[in-house]
Amino acid sequence: MDPILDNPRRAVFSLLRRRARQAYRLGEFAESLALYDRAWEWARRHGGPDDLDRALCGRASVAIELGNGDGLVSSLREVLMRSANDENCFLAANNLGRAYELKRLPKKAAFYARMAYDRALLVGSREWLASALNLLGNACLAESRTDEAKQQYTAALELIPRTMETWRALIEQNLGYAHVVDSNLTAGFGLLYRSLRALRRLGALRYTASVHVDLAFGHLEAGRPRLALRHARVAISRAEQDGDRELLKNALYLLGEAANLSNSSHEARQSFSRLQLEFFPNSGHLPDFLLAVGVRGMVSLRA
């Protein structure tokens, strides 16, 4: 017996989802998923179809971040096709956009981001409009359309409430990286370091690994391999702790490059050897190749 789930009052459903969102924003994905699971169970017992769809979208948002969202993609599409609820349709489209972004399919991500934007307009939510614009910016950046990406991120920051500090920090990170890619290093580093400070202050430590990766890349672009080395080491430690394999792979690339440029040949070979063993087991000569040619031109953190 669960006295909370046995309570039919809608306030219970709202509370569970609010707590799940709070955990999500701090990167506490396991806690967030557990709360969304309970919200789904409440909806199954006491709610209607819209409640079940809302809970499904919440569960999907976390599963996608954890890399377990493939089985929910078809369910999200079903919500879009059959639901007359604009809020649920926004959530479904936004989740689909994020899922395709992580699959490195920017055109599909942009398609659903635009759909999410249209629904957010109907709902009148500035926060949701900002989320859709951020997704569009990510899709543009993945296709090397950096000017357009920066426009989307800037528009998102103008919409997002200042009280949503974690969300703002993540968009500032994206904008900062776009500036770095465009060789506007002063603006890029300013935004990336501001994002990192905010995430640390807020306790959203899971999100800091990707900022360290961006900073490692930026310092390599600026010709400061020792600073890049420092950030790549932190990113690897954090990615290992969080179990984020994609971030770990990128950080190993950058650590090897930074160590190689810093004349730390042993650490460079170690990093590239680990990269080969864990991610490219059939590429036995990869460490020698990467030590000879360099990797900066081969690494795209958003594409």
Side-chain angles (χ1 to χ4, degrees):
M1 297 289 289
D2 187 326
I4 293 179
L5 295 182
D6 288 339
N7 188 337
R9 294 178 60 224
R10 290 196 59 79
V12 172
F13 187 53
S14 298
L15 176 63
L16 288 169
R17 289 187 295 109
R18 183 167 66 251
R19 289 173 57 198
R21 289 194 300 272
Q22 290 169 347
Y24 180 95
R25 287 171 186 151
L26 290 175
E28 303 292 344
F29 293 143
E31 180 183 352
S32 180
L33 185 58
L35 288 162
Y36 275 129
D37 282 344
R38 296 183 77 198
W40 187 89
E41 180 60 23
W42 184 97
R44 191 184 67 80
R45 296 185 190 186
H46 310 292
D50 285 347
D51 297 322
L52 284 166
D53 286 346
R54 182 67 60 91
L56 166 71
C57 290
R59 295 169 83 191
S61 67
V62 187
I64 288 165
E65 295 302 322
L66 291 171
N68 302 321
D70 286 355
L72 294 170
V73 166
S74 60
S75 297
L76 292 170
R77 287 204 196 97
E78 288 174 12
V79 172
L80 279 176
M81 288 188 292
R82 62 174 160 71
S83 178
N85 185 301
D86 289 324
E87 294 181 355
N88 287 344
C89 287
F90 163 81
L91 293 170
N94 201 61
N95 284 338
L96 286 164
R98 177 62 172 160
Y100 284 116
E101 176 192 333
L102 293 176
K103 287 177 175 294
R104 303 295 191 261
L105 295 170
K107 286 183 170 54
K108 286 189 175 182
F111 172 81
Y112 285 108
R114 293 188 187 97
M115 191 177 293
Y117 184 87
D118 290 342
R119 294 290 183 161
L121 277 175
L122 293 173
V123 174
S125 169
R126 293 169 63 90
E127 175 191 346
W128 287 1
L129 286 167
S131 181
L133 289 171
N134 181 62
L135 272 177
L136 278 171
N138 292 345
C140 293
L141 198 55
E143 295 187 318
S144 300
R145 292 183 281 124
T146 53
D147 285 342
E148 191 174 346
K150 286 186 288 186
Q151 290 172 6
Q152 304 290 1
Y153 295 141
T154 301
L157 285 170
E158 290 172 355
L159 287 166
I160 198 76
R162 293 198 172 273
T163 53
M164 301 188 67
E165 295 177 277
T166 304
W167 189 210
R168 288 187 66 85
L170 295 175
I171 299 175
E172 286 179 341
Q173 177 200 351
N174 290 336
L175 180 57
Y177 176 76
H179 277 295
V180 167
V181 170
D182 254 1
S183 300
N184 188 353
L185 298 181
T186 300
F189 280 123
L191 285 159
L192 288 173
Y193 277 112
R194 186 163 70 193
S195 173
L196 183 61
R197 287 193 298 270
L199 293 172
R200 283 173 171 169
R201 175 173 50 81
L202 295 163
L205 298 181
R206 186 183 183 102
Y207 298 123
T208 60
S210 64
V211 187
H212 282 294
V213 167
D214 289 351
L215 284 166
F217 179 85
H219 283 299
L220 284 172
E221 290 290 294
R224 297 190 288 261
R226 293 194 181 277
L227 283 173
L229 194 60
R230 184 186 309 168
H231 285 287
R233 287 170 179 158
V234 175
I236 285 172
S237 176
R238 187 75 233 178
E240 289 172 336
Q241 186 174 338
D242 297 333
D244 192 322
R245 299 288 291 167
E246 186 65 23
L247 270 177
L248 177 61
K249 181 174 68 174
N250 286 334
L252 286 170
Y253 270 120
L254 296 173
L255 177 64
E257 176 80 344
N260 199 24
L261 293 173
S262 301
N263 298 316
S264 300
S265 56
H266 178 68
E267 187 173 13
R269 182 169 289 279
Q270 277 188 322
S271 182
F272 289 146
S273 295
R274 181 180 177 186
L275 183 72
Q276 180 258 313
L277 287 170
E278 294 193 23
F279 295 96
F280 307 102
N282 297 321
S283 302
H285 299 291
L286 184 65
D288 291 326
F289 173 75
L290 294 177
L291 285 167
V293 304
V295 304
R296 217 176 338 145
M298 301 168 56
V299 175
S300 178
L301 304 182
R302 299 296 196 276

